[in-house]
Amino acid sequence: VGGDTYDLRQVGPECWSIVVTDVSGKGVGAAILASLLQGAFLGASSNPEQMTALINTVNRYVVERSEGEQYATIFFALLTSAGELHWINAGHCMPFLVSASGAVDLLEVTGLPVGMLPFANFEQKSRQLAAGDKIVIYSDGLTDVANIDGKFLGNTRLKEIVIANAALDAQALHDKLMEEARAWAGGVAPADDITITVLEFRPRTPA
Protein backbone atom coordinates (compact mmCIF):
# COMPACT_ATOMS: atom_id res chain seq x y z
CA VAL A 1 0.00 0.00 0.00
CA GLY A 2 1.17 3.53 -0.67
CA GLY A 3 0.25 7.19 -0.65
CA ASP A 4 0.83 8.08 -4.32
CA THR A 5 -1.93 8.18 -6.91
CA TYR A 6 -2.26 9.37 -10.47
CA ASP A 7 -5.21 9.68 -12.82
CA LEU A 8 -5.78 10.83 -16.39
CA ARG A 9 -9.36 11.20 -17.56
CA GLN A 10 -11.21 12.80 -20.42
CA VAL A 11 -13.58 15.31 -18.79
CA GLY A 12 -14.99 16.89 -21.95
CA PRO A 13 -14.95 16.46 -25.73
CA GLU A 14 -11.75 18.54 -25.95
CA CYS A 15 -10.32 18.38 -22.42
CA TRP A 16 -8.43 15.99 -20.14
CA SER A 17 -7.85 16.09 -16.39
CA ILE A 18 -4.48 15.08 -14.91
CA VAL A 19 -4.01 14.54 -11.16
CA VAL A 20 -0.96 13.28 -9.26
CA THR A 21 -1.04 13.18 -5.46
CA ASP A 22 1.42 12.24 -2.73
CA VAL A 23 0.07 11.76 0.80
CA SER A 24 2.35 12.26 3.78
CA GLY A 25 3.26 9.19 5.76
CA LYS A 26 3.11 5.57 4.74
CA GLY A 27 1.00 2.49 5.22
CA VAL A 28 -2.74 1.92 5.28
CA GLY A 29 -3.64 5.42 6.53
CA ALA A 30 -1.82 7.11 3.66
CA ALA A 31 -3.30 4.68 1.15
CA ILE A 32 -6.86 5.32 2.37
CA LEU A 33 -6.47 9.09 2.10
CA ALA A 34 -4.85 8.70 -1.34
CA SER A 35 -7.81 6.65 -2.51
CA LEU A 36 -10.25 9.25 -1.21
CA LEU A 37 -8.34 12.02 -2.98
CA GLN A 38 -8.39 10.12 -6.24
CA GLY A 39 -12.15 9.76 -5.92
CA ALA A 40 -12.59 13.46 -5.19
CA PHE A 41 -11.13 14.42 -8.56
CA LEU A 42 -13.49 12.16 -10.48
CA GLY A 43 -15.87 15.12 -10.36
CA ALA A 44 -13.45 17.45 -12.15
CA SER A 45 -15.05 19.41 -14.98
CA SER A 46 -13.55 20.78 -18.18
CA ASN A 47 -14.06 24.35 -16.93
CA PRO A 48 -10.75 25.83 -15.68
CA GLU A 49 -12.69 28.36 -13.62
CA GLN A 50 -13.87 25.53 -11.34
CA MET A 51 -10.41 24.16 -10.56
CA THR A 52 -9.73 26.38 -7.55
CA ALA A 53 -13.12 25.61 -6.01
CA LEU A 54 -12.42 21.88 -6.28
CA ILE A 55 -8.99 22.19 -4.66
CA ASN A 56 -10.48 24.32 -1.88
CA THR A 57 -13.10 21.65 -1.20
CA VAL A 58 -10.45 18.92 -1.12
CA ASN A 59 -8.27 21.02 1.19
CA ARG A 60 -11.07 21.59 3.71
CA TYR A 61 -11.94 17.89 3.62
CA VAL A 62 -8.37 16.83 4.41
CA VAL A 63 -8.05 19.42 7.19
CA GLU A 64 -11.30 18.25 8.79
CA ARG A 65 -10.49 14.56 8.41
CA SER A 66 -6.87 14.60 9.54
CA GLU A 67 -6.94 17.53 11.99
CA GLY A 68 -3.56 18.66 10.72
CA GLU A 69 -1.88 15.27 11.17
CA GLN A 70 -1.82 14.43 7.47
CA TYR A 71 -1.39 16.44 4.31
CA ALA A 72 -1.01 15.76 0.61
CA THR A 73 0.77 17.40 -2.27
CA ILE A 74 -1.30 17.61 -5.46
CA PHE A 75 -0.57 18.52 -9.05
CA PHE A 76 -3.93 19.08 -10.77
CA ALA A 77 -4.17 20.15 -14.41
CA LEU A 78 -6.54 20.47 -17.33
CA LEU A 79 -5.18 20.10 -20.87
CA THR A 80 -7.26 20.96 -23.93
CA SER A 81 -6.92 19.62 -27.46
CA ALA A 82 -5.71 23.12 -28.43
CA GLY A 83 -2.75 22.76 -26.05
CA GLU A 84 -4.07 25.05 -23.31
CA LEU A 85 -2.65 23.87 -19.99
CA HIS A 86 -4.17 25.08 -16.72
CA TRP A 87 -2.71 23.86 -13.45
CA ILE A 88 -2.68 24.17 -9.68
CA ASN A 89 0.38 22.83 -7.89
CA ALA A 90 -0.38 22.33 -4.20
CA GLY A 91 3.10 21.80 -2.80
CA HIS A 92 3.99 19.05 -5.28
CA CYS A 93 7.36 18.50 -6.97
CA MET A 94 7.55 20.96 -9.86
CA PRO A 95 6.88 19.03 -13.09
CA PHE A 96 9.20 19.52 -16.04
CA LEU A 97 7.81 21.07 -19.22
CA VAL A 98 10.21 19.88 -21.89
CA SER A 99 10.33 20.49 -25.63
CA ALA A 100 11.78 18.08 -28.18
CA SER A 101 14.80 20.40 -28.49
CA GLY A 102 15.66 19.79 -24.85
CA ALA A 103 14.56 23.16 -23.49
CA VAL A 104 13.16 22.67 -20.00
CA ASP A 105 10.91 24.81 -17.82
CA LEU A 106 9.20 24.12 -14.51
CA LEU A 107 5.51 24.23 -13.66
CA GLU A 108 5.86 26.10 -10.41
CA VAL A 109 4.21 25.52 -7.07
CA THR A 110 1.11 27.69 -6.63
CA GLY A 111 0.02 26.85 -3.09
CA LEU A 112 0.61 24.84 0.07
CA PRO A 113 -0.08 21.10 0.28
CA VAL A 114 -3.73 20.39 1.04
CA GLY A 115 -4.57 19.66 4.67
CA MET A 116 -2.28 22.23 6.27
CA LEU A 117 -4.53 25.29 6.57
CA PRO A 118 -8.33 25.38 6.30
CA PHE A 119 -8.34 28.52 4.14
CA ALA A 120 -5.13 28.17 2.13
CA ASN A 121 -4.75 30.08 -1.13
CA PHE A 122 -4.29 28.07 -4.35
CA GLU A 123 -3.28 30.09 -7.39
CA GLN A 124 -4.01 28.81 -10.88
CA LYS A 125 -1.51 29.12 -13.75
CA SER A 126 -1.82 28.64 -17.51
CA ARG A 127 0.55 27.90 -20.40
CA GLN A 128 0.17 27.30 -24.12
CA LEU A 129 1.85 24.09 -25.22
CA ALA A 130 3.51 23.54 -28.58
CA ALA A 131 3.40 20.32 -30.59
CA GLY A 132 5.71 17.75 -29.06
CA ASP A 133 5.91 19.39 -25.64
CA LYS A 134 6.01 16.87 -22.82
CA ILE A 135 5.13 17.23 -19.15
CA VAL A 136 7.03 15.03 -16.68
CA ILE A 137 5.14 14.78 -13.38
CA TYR A 138 6.71 12.80 -10.54
CA SER A 139 6.59 12.27 -6.80
CA ASP A 140 9.55 12.93 -4.51
CA GLY A 141 10.12 9.20 -4.24
CA LEU A 142 11.95 9.53 -7.57
CA THR A 143 14.41 12.25 -6.56
CA ASP A 144 14.85 10.57 -3.16
CA VAL A 145 16.06 7.28 -4.68
CA ALA A 146 19.30 6.58 -2.81
CA ASN A 147 22.30 4.49 -3.85
CA ILE A 148 24.41 2.24 -1.66
CA ASP A 149 26.34 5.29 -0.40
CA GLY A 150 23.12 6.99 0.67
CA LYS A 151 23.33 9.66 -2.03
CA PHE A 152 20.02 10.78 -3.53
CA LEU A 153 19.32 10.91 -7.24
CA GLY A 154 18.22 14.53 -6.73
CA ASN A 155 16.61 17.21 -8.88
CA THR A 156 19.77 18.21 -10.73
CA ARG A 157 20.50 14.70 -11.97
CA LEU A 158 16.84 14.14 -12.82
CA LYS A 159 16.80 17.30 -14.94
CA GLU A 160 19.93 16.15 -16.76
CA ILE A 161 18.27 12.84 -17.60
CA VAL A 162 15.13 14.59 -18.88
CA ILE A 163 17.17 16.97 -21.09
CA ALA A 164 19.32 14.17 -22.50
CA ASN A 165 16.23 12.16 -23.47
CA ALA A 166 13.88 14.98 -24.46
CA ALA A 167 13.45 13.68 -28.02
CA LEU A 168 11.97 10.38 -26.82
CA ASP A 169 8.21 9.88 -26.90
CA ALA A 170 6.24 9.87 -23.66
CA GLN A 171 6.38 6.11 -23.03
CA ALA A 172 10.08 5.85 -23.85
CA LEU A 173 10.93 8.83 -21.63
CA HIS A 174 8.93 7.31 -18.76
CA ASP A 175 10.77 4.00 -19.18
CA LYS A 176 14.14 5.76 -19.35
CA LEU A 177 13.47 7.59 -16.09
CA MET A 178 12.59 4.33 -14.36
CA GLU A 179 15.66 2.65 -15.83
CA GLU A 180 17.93 5.45 -14.60
CA ALA A 181 16.36 5.34 -11.13
CA ARG A 182 16.96 1.60 -10.87
CA ALA A 183 20.54 1.99 -12.11
CA TRP A 184 21.20 4.74 -9.57
CA ALA A 185 19.80 2.62 -6.72
CA GLY A 186 22.00 -0.31 -7.70
CA GLY A 187 19.73 -2.80 -5.99
CA VAL A 188 18.93 -0.65 -2.93
CA ALA A 189 15.19 -0.84 -2.24
CA PRO A 190 13.37 2.51 -2.55
CA ALA A 191 12.32 4.08 0.74
CA ASP A 192 9.26 5.80 -0.73
CA ASP A 193 6.62 5.35 -3.42
CA ILE A 194 7.75 6.36 -6.91
CA THR A 195 5.24 7.78 -9.38
CA ILE A 196 6.08 9.11 -12.84
CA THR A 197 3.52 10.37 -15.35
CA VAL A 198 4.68 11.65 -18.75
CA LEU A 199 2.28 13.43 -21.11
CA GLU A 200 2.94 14.59 -24.67
CA PHE A 201 0.87 17.17 -26.54
CA ARG A 202 0.09 16.00 -30.05
CA PRO A 203 -2.25 18.35 -31.95
CA ARG A 204 -4.83 16.75 -34.14
CA THR A 205 -3.96 16.59 -37.80
CA PRO A 206 -6.26 18.96 -39.75
CA ALA A 207 -8.86 17.09 -41.82
Side-chain angles (χ1 to χ4, degrees):
V1 294
D4 285 8
T5 67
Y6 71 95
D7 201 12
L8 172 64
R9 300 176 58 250
Q10 188 166 0
V11 293
E14 305 290 337
C15 186
W16 289 260
S17 168
I18 305 102
V19 183
V20 177
T21 73
D22 184 0
V23 176
S24 63
K26 296 179 175 61
V28 174
I32 290 173
L33 181 54
S35 178
L36 293 172
L37 288 175
Q38 189 173 37
F41 285 94
L42 293 177
S45 80
S46 60
N47 185 354
E49 295 182 0
Q50 296 180 9
M51 293 176 67
T52 301
L54 178 54
I55 283 284
N56 283 333
T57 298
V58 169
N59 179 59
R60 288 193 297 271
Y61 171 79
V62 177
V63 169
E64 292 167 1
R65 181 187 181 281
S66 67
E67 297 181 341
E69 295 183 0
Q70 267 188 313
Y71 64 88
T73 66
I74 299 176
F75 181 80
F76 171 38
L78 294 178
L79 177 61
T80 73
S81 59
E84 298 167 355
L85 178 70
H86 309 275
W87 82 90
I88 294 174
N89 186 342
H92 199 75
C93 303
M94 291 187 287
F96 294 107
L97 174 58
V98 54
S99 68
S101 68
V104 171
D105 203 352
L106 295 171
L107 301 180
E108 65 265 37
V109 172
T110 63
L112 293 172
V114 301
M116 287 190 162
L117 296 173
F119 299 104
N121 180 53
F122 300 98
E123 187 180 359
Q124 182 179 317
K125 298 280 189 175
S126 299
R127 292 284 292 266
Q128 176 63 50
L129 302 189
D133 282 353
K134 287 181 282 290
I135 303 170
V136 180
I137 313 165
Y138 60 96
S139 64
D140 61 5
L142 178 60
T143 50
D144 288 351
V145 168
N147 61 19
I148 195 168
D149 298 318
K151 185 177 180 180
F152 295 136
L153 178 67
N155 289 293
T156 300
R157 175 58 183 149
L158 179 60
K159 183 177 180 180
E160 290 172 352
I161 297 169
V162 169
I163 292 173
N165 297 279
L168 298 178
D169 64 24
Q171 183 64 60
L173 179 54
H174 172 278
D175 295 346
K176 182 64 176 177
L177 291 169
M178 289 300 300
E179 176 188 322
E180 291 283 349
R182 293 189 187 100
W184 180 268
V188 176
D192 197 3
D193 307 321
I194 298 174
T195 298
I196 306 172
T197 304
V198 182
L199 311 173
E200 182 174 355
F201 174 54
R202 297 179 180 175
R204 291 177 178 172
T205 304

